[in-house]
């Protein structure tokens, strides 16, 4: 079939298999061009199909020749009904990994559930024996707590006061004022349930219990801080509470792993266009001004550049590079004083009329469509493609 983007607000209902494959291939080529990394060899990635998790899987496999198991929650294709992009990404990843003789298997299902944890443990035991790294890169709006069966929904809201600022509809370029009402107490608890550290801890507990973690095991999850500008809706909002919890969990897990000389880290990453971040109000306007500024400075990075630098310069080096709170920081360039000063200045000037010149709205839009395999260079979108693509280890 011929597949075109079909958008509804900040989501896209279709995805293009050839475009997704090309994206994965480009990321693999980038990693190969940067040379090898002395990283772990048996890696489990939770949230492995898109964004930072996919970039982590690619960096481990093609930077360190690692065997990888990827867990994700994606929609399989049906006749005339394209899959979700993470499905096509994972199909492409496995294809390229297999071509190079790299072990790669995937599990498609709810990572929050006991069943998927058990299935993953069985696969590790059968195929790898033990793992030496777990990257935890889940982003989800909902989680069913396996202990209670309760389905929790996260929200993206400020805490305490109404937050008023501006935002952009990146499809139309229209900049408008928004007002977001504060959350209630349940919203905070629910968001922490979904995006905090509890499930990461449950994974580690289950893997440890099954004795599938090797000596010197490393685990890492991803966090975000961002500037004062977005604080009310991010770091000091409901999602920020979840990130605080995630960072606290890293310390607990780190202590739990001392018997096997293991470590747990949080890496604070840069603001990037992903399916998760497009849904947060205000962030798209911030990102479009940030992209413009960082591209002008020659310091713009996407997920793959971020994770490559994280592995090669911060984590798998003689002395792990941590901030005073014990976190890895690849948001260092985003948070540079000169970058933030510039973005703050542009923020004041941003209107529907000025944004095309002062912001990188086109960069935002292109990145958004790229997430779904559209607007990827070198892809013929008029060509008839087979929407039913298998993930080798699943079908
Ligand atoms: P993403 O939306 O691209 O990736 C989410 C992944 O989680 C996908 O692989 C998806 O299949 C998987 N997933 C979702 N629900 C699942 C479930 N129930 N079971 C199994 N897999 C499931 O998100 P992104 O942006 O890569 O986020 C990953 C982490 O990075 C998150 O913790 C996020 O907060 C963090 N981060 C994101 C930043 C950004 O600007 N996008 C910046 C800094 C950190
Ligand atoms: Na991810």
């Amino acid at each position: 079939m011929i597949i075109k983007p079909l958008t509804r607000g900040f989501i896209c209902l279709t995805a293009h298999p050839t475009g997704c494959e090309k994206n994965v291939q480009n990321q693999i080529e980038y990693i190969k061009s940067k040379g090898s990394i002395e990283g772990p060899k048996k890696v489990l990635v939770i949230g492995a199909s898109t964004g930072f998790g996919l970039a982590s899987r690619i960096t481990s496999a093609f930077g360190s020749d690692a065997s990888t198991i990827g867990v994700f929650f994606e929609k399989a294709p049906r006749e005339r009904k394209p899959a979700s992009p993470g499905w096509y990404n994972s199909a492409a990843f496995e294809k390229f990994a297999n071509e190079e003789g790299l072990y790669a298997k995937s599990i498609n299902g709810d990572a929050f559930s006991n069943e998927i944890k058990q299935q993953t443990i069985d696969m590790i035991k059968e195929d790898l024996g033990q793992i030496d790294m777990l990257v935890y890169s889940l982003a989800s709006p909902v989680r069913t707590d396996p202990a209670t069966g309760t389905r929790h929904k996260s929200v993206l809201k400020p805490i305490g006061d109404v937050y008023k600022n501006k935002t952009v509809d990146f499809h139309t370029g229209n900049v408008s004022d928004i007002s977001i009402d504060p959350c209630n107490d349940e919203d905070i608890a629910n968001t922490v349930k979904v995006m905090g550290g509890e499930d990461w801890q449950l994974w580690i507990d289950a893997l440890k219990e099954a004795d599938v973690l090797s000596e010197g095991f490393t685990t890492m999850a991803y966090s975000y801080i961002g500037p004062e500008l977005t604080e009310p809706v991010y770091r000091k909002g409901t999602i920020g509470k979840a990130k605080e919890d995630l960072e606290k969990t890293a310390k607990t897990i780190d202590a739990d792993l001392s018997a096997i000389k293991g470590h747990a880290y949080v890496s604070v990453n840069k603001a990037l266009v992903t399916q998760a971040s497009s849904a947060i109000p205000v962030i798209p306007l911030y990102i479009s001004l940030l992209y413009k500024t960082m591209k002008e400075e020659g310091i713009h990075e996407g997920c793959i550049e971020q994770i490559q630098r994280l592995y090669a310069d911060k984590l798998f080096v003689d002395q792990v590079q941590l901030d005073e709170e014990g976190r890895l920081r690849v948001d260092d360039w985003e948070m540079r004083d000169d970058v933030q000063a510039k973005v703050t200045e542009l923020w004041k000037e941003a209107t529907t009329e000025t944004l095309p010149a002062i912001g990188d709205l086109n960069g935002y839009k292109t990145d958004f469509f790229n997430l779904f395999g559209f607007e990827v260079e070198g892809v013929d979108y008029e060509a008839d493609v087979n929407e039913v693509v298998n993930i080798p280890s699943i079908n």
Side-chain angles (χ1 to χ4, degrees):
M1 78 187 275
I2 289 169
I3 308 173
K4 300 277 169 181
L6 185 63
T7 56
R8 292 273 179 282
F10 50 76
I11 58 167
C12 182
L13 300 171
T14 49
H16 201 281
T18 319
C20 289
E21 179 173 310
K22 188 85 174 86
N23 281 336
V24 169
Q25 192 177 23
N26 290 343
Q27 292 189 50
I28 292 170
E29 270 161 25
Y30 176 77
I31 290 302
K32 287 181 169 176
S33 78
K34 300 298 276 187
S36 68
I37 298 166
E38 288 289 320
K41 297 287 189 194
K42 295 176 181 179
V43 178
L44 170 62
V45 181
I46 314 287
S49 54
T50 56
F52 285 112
L54 174 64
S56 306
R57 189 178 196 186
I58 290 173
T59 306
S60 282
F62 293 91
S64 306
D65 283 333
S67 300
T68 59
I69 294 177
V71 179
F72 45 77
F73 208 10
E74 299 293 342
K75 204 158 48 61
R78 282 181 287 128
E79 232 20 77
R80 316 281 320 151
K81 189 101 183 62
S84 54
W87 178 277
Y88 291 136
N89 290 342
S90 302
F93 173 85
E94 280 198 16
K95 182 184 118 178
F96 293 123
N98 291 342
E99 277 172 14
E100 307 223 350
L102 290 168
Y103 171 98
K105 282 193 185 174
S106 304
I107 293 175
N108 188 34
D110 181 8
F112 295 126
S113 70
N114 294 333
E115 292 72 21
I116 290 296
K117 289 184 176 71
Q118 191 54 51
Q119 212 176 306
T120 308
I121 287 167
D122 293 343
M123 189 181 273
I124 295 170
K125 281 188 170 163
E126 196 153 312
D127 294 351
L128 304 175
Q130 292 187 318
I131 52 168
D132 45 15
M133 177 150 88
L134 164 66
V135 177
Y136 189 84
S137 186
L138 275 191
S140 172
V142 290
R143 172 180 171 224
T144 300
D145 182 346
T148 61
T150 307
R151 193 164 183 269
H152 300 274
K153 283 174 101 168
S154 71
V155 300
L156 297 159
K157 285 187 180 171
I159 297 172
D161 300 305
V162 175
Y163 176 57
K164 289 189 164 75
N165 212 319
K166 46 189 173 185
T167 192
V168 65
D169 176 336
F170 60 85
H171 291 299
T172 61
N174 188 50
V175 177
S176 63
D177 291 328
I178 51 151
S179 166
I180 314 172
D181 286 333
C183 67
N184 58 44
D185 291 347
E186 267 162 62
D187 288 336
I188 300 177
N190 282 324
T191 307
V192 171
K193 264 282 180 191
V194 180
M195 287 298 284
E198 189 174 78
D199 181 62
W200 184 21
Q201 178 83 57
L202 289 174
W203 270 98
I204 297 294
D205 290 347
L207 295 162
K208 218 165 65 143
E209 171 74 24
D211 195 25
V212 294
L213 303 182
S214 65
E215 179 138 324
F217 169 79
T218 302
T219 186
M220 176 167 62
Y222 296 134
S223 189
Y224 183 65
I225 297 176
E228 232 172 275
L229 202 60
T230 60
E231 259 181 2
V233 76
Y234 201 97
R235 193 66 197 197
K236 291 188 175 163
T238 48
I239 182 72
K241 289 288 172 208
K243 290 305 186 190
E244 276 173 21
D245 184 72
L246 186 79
E247 291 174 22
K248 206 174 75 205
T249 304
K251 298 214 156 80
T252 313
I253 295 175
D254 194 72
D256 291 350
L257 293 173
S258 62
I260 57 164
K261 299 189 175 66
H263 284 290
Y265 300 103
V266 156
S267 173
V268 183
N269 298 351
K270 176 198 185 195
L272 279 173
V273 180
T274 63
Q275 290 182 74
S277 68
S278 311
I280 311 177
V282 186
I283 299 283
L285 180 57
Y286 169 70
I287 289 182
S288 74
L289 300 173
L290 180 73
Y291 273 28
K292 179 81 170 187
T293 306
M294 293 185 81
K295 283 179 184 177
E296 270 171 15
E297 290 292 320
I299 53 171
H300 175 71
E301 296 173 301
C303 287
I304 196 68
E305 290 84 1
Q306 279 264 292
I307 301 300
Q308 198 282 333
R309 191 160 65 88
L310 171 62
Y311 277 37
D313 296 357
K314 308 272 179 183
L315 185 55
F316 302 119
V317 286
D318 291 340
Q319 183 71 48
V320 179
Q321 303 289 306
L322 303 173
D323 71 4
E324 58 284 354
E325 312 269 341
R327 301 172 296 209
L328 294 152
R329 301 295 294 265
V330 278
D331 66 338
D332 46 355
W333 297 350
E334 168 182 358
M335 298 310 285
R336 250 170 50 178
D337 288 344
D338 60 323
V339 171
Q340 284 304 321
K342 183 76 195 176
V343 173
T344 306
E345 186 189 309
L346 295 174
W347 186 271
K348 292 180 200 137
E349 295 167 19
T351 62
T352 307
E353 291 68 38
T354 61
L355 192 61
I358 68 167
D360 186 22
L361 204 54
N362 283 332
Y364 192 103
K365 270 198 262 189
T366 305
D367 275 13
F368 177 80
F369 283 106
N370 282 352
L371 295 175
F372 303 91
F374 296 109
E375 296 187 19
V376 179
E377 239 177 78
V379 175
D380 177 7
Y381 290 102
E382 302 308 321
D384 200 2
V385 291
N386 187 356
E387 66 281 13
V388 182
V389 176
N390 291 336
I391 297 178
S393 74
I394 291 180
N395 301 95

